[in-house]
Amino acid sequence: MTSEGTSLTSKEELNAELKALLRRAYESGIDVEGGFECRNGVEHPDWDVIVTEVEKNEHSE
């Protein structure tokens, strides 16, 4: 997982970071499904993140 000082340069890197975060949370017993408000102060935009579990397909990792 990157720190705030490490830049992400692609959507693929962002996806990898999100996947790692969600896996760590799930493995720690945290219910990761639902909505999360990300308030970031005046210098960054705020986001609303929705996480839903999806069915695995034959191409799942």
Side-chain angles (χ1 to χ4, degrees), residues 35-54:
F36 300 89
E37 274 191 359
C38 298
R39 300 290 177 182
N40 295 298
V42 296
E43 63 277 349
H44 296 96
D46 295 333
W47 292 283
D48 182 40
V49 178
I50 306 296
V51 178
T52 55
E53 185 175 344
V54 295

Side-chain angles (χ1 to χ4, degrees):
M1 195 88 187
T2 62
S3 69
E4 287 187 28
T6 303
S7 296
L8 298 174
T9 59
S10 68
K11 285 188 175 186
E12 292 79 15
E13 289 178 353
L14 173 59
N15 187 60
E17 291 292 316
L18 288 171
K19 184 187 292 188
L21 175 63
L22 291 170
R23 283 181 178 174
R24 282 195 355 255
Y26 176 80
E27 290 168 356
S28 296
I30 297 171
D31 181 8
V32 297
E33 196 164 4
F36 300 89
E37 274 191 359
C38 298
R39 300 290 177 182
N40 295 298
V42 296
E43 63 277 349
H44 296 96
D46 295 333
W47 292 283
D48 182 40
V49 178
I50 306 296
V51 178
T52 55
E53 185 175 344
V54 295
E55 289 186 33
K56 291 193 177 285
N57 60 37
E58 65 270 3
H59 299 104
S60 293
E61 294 176 17

